[in-house]
Amino acid sequence: GNSVTQMEGPVTLSEEAFLTINCTYTATGYPSLFWYVQYPGEGLQLLLKATKADDKGSNKGFEATYRKETTSFHLEKGSVQVSDSAVYFCALSEMGRGAQKLVFGQGTRLTINP
Amino acid sequence: SQTIHQWPATLVQPVGSPLSLECTVEGTSNPNLYWYRQAAGRGLQLLFYSIGIGQISSEVPQNLSASRPQDRQFILSSKKLLLSDSGFYLCACLRGGLTDTQYFGPGTRLTVL
């Protein structure tokens, strides 16, 4: 079946550092890819998405490019802030029994120190 | 845009007691609805999803059940809670129409003692 693998956390960086969180996937066909963010004690928020190969999703300074050749969707940000501390989930969409479903990676906890 | 409400926000229940968690959606009609569980320090596990009233698909056989009595209401239940049912329960919605983006509610933190 389809699966998503994220880099193991936790990740700790200093403010203004460059961030990369790796995400690779295994899937039949060409699913849509997503990054969700979860702040402490909250639900998940959609951060960005890409629906086809070579698409670049971007939001709040974060970017990720859908790379079909490497089956990857790595999340990047040029200069992180303390407020970016959260858990980040990579996910892909697949069709289940008559409905779209999301397959999530295990999540990567990010801590940004001032 | 849609708004997803979950009730209650937190819950502490003894082992063996019943459970009812509610999810309601505003701002869309005929959505797909989903229940996920997030155990401490772990990823998200899809428990149930529904494409319409009375239509429930179960992803993982377990101690829980789901129901959809109205178009925008999704309920997660248990007759007798286990310790392993503790976790953070998230409801998600996929709007009707040409979209593949799920939106999540604020979650319910369940502790079974």
Side-chain angles (χ1 to χ4, degrees):
Chain A
N2 297 338
S3 65
V4 175
T5 302
Q6 289 181 233
M7 67 185 286
E8 294 260 349
V11 174
T12 303
L13 296 172
S14 298
E15 204 165 21
E16 300 183 1
F18 183 86
L19 168 71
T20 300
I21 300 178
N22 289 339
C23 171
T24 57
Y25 66 91
T26 302
T28 54
Y30 303 106
S32 293
L33 301 174
F34 305 82
W35 277 101
Y36 283 86
V37 58
Q38 184 179 34
Y39 298 102
E42 298 184 8
L44 272 68
Q45 299 177 25
L46 177 67
L47 182 59
L48 53 84
K49 63 180 278 190
T51 58
K52 61 183 186 298
D54 300 325
D55 266 3
K56 177 185 283 188
S58 61
N59 186 26
K60 300 181 180 179
F62 291 90
E63 293 182 339
T65 301
Y66 191 140
R67 300 288 188 197
K68 184 179 67 173
E69 62 278 7
T70 55
T71 61
S72 64
F73 193 54
H74 304 321
L75 183 68
E76 297 182 336
K77 187 174 185 182
S79 176
V80 293
Q81 306 301 313
V82 172
S83 58
D84 294 326
S85 298
V87 180
Y88 292 80
F89 291 94
C90 185
L92 63 79
S93 66
E94 65 177 11
M95 285 304 296
R97 293 185 292 272
Q100 182 253 25
K101 298 190 296 182
L102 290 176
V103 176
F104 284 91
Q106 68 271 36
T108 301
R109 181 174 299 278
L110 173 66
T111 301
I112 307 299
N113 294 321
Chain B
S1 64
Q2 71 285 323
T3 302
I4 303 168
H5 302 280
Q6 289 189 241
W7 186 87
T10 60
L11 190 60
V12 180
Q13 291 285 92
V15 169
S17 64
L19 173 73
S20 181
L21 303 182
E22 184 169 342
C23 170
T24 58
V25 180
E26 295 177 356
T28 186
S29 58
N30 197 30
N32 289 354
L33 297 175
Y34 305 80
W35 278 113
Y36 292 86
R37 177 169 59 201
Q38 186 178 24
R42 302 183 64 180
L44 282 83
Q45 180 184 35
L46 178 62
L47 301 176
F48 301 95
Y49 64 93
S50 171
I51 62 172
I53 295 173
Q55 301 181 69
I56 308 295
S57 295
S58 173
E59 286 292 290
V60 183
Q62 57 199 311
N63 186 42
L64 302 170
S65 63
S67 62
R68 186 167 176 178
Q70 300 179 42
D71 181 48
R72 287 173 283 182
Q73 184 184 29
F74 203 24
I75 296 172
L76 184 70
S77 303
S78 174
K79 292 182 179 178
K80 289 186 178 182
L81 283 169
L82 305 173
L83 287 174
S84 58
D85 292 324
S86 293
F88 193 47
Y89 288 82
L90 290 159
C91 178
C93 162
L94 182 71
R95 288 200 321 253
L98 295 176
T99 177
D100 61 357
T101 300
Q102 290 186 23
Y103 293 90
F104 285 77
T108 294
R109 172 79 57 196
L110 171 65
T111 303
V112 182
L113 301 175

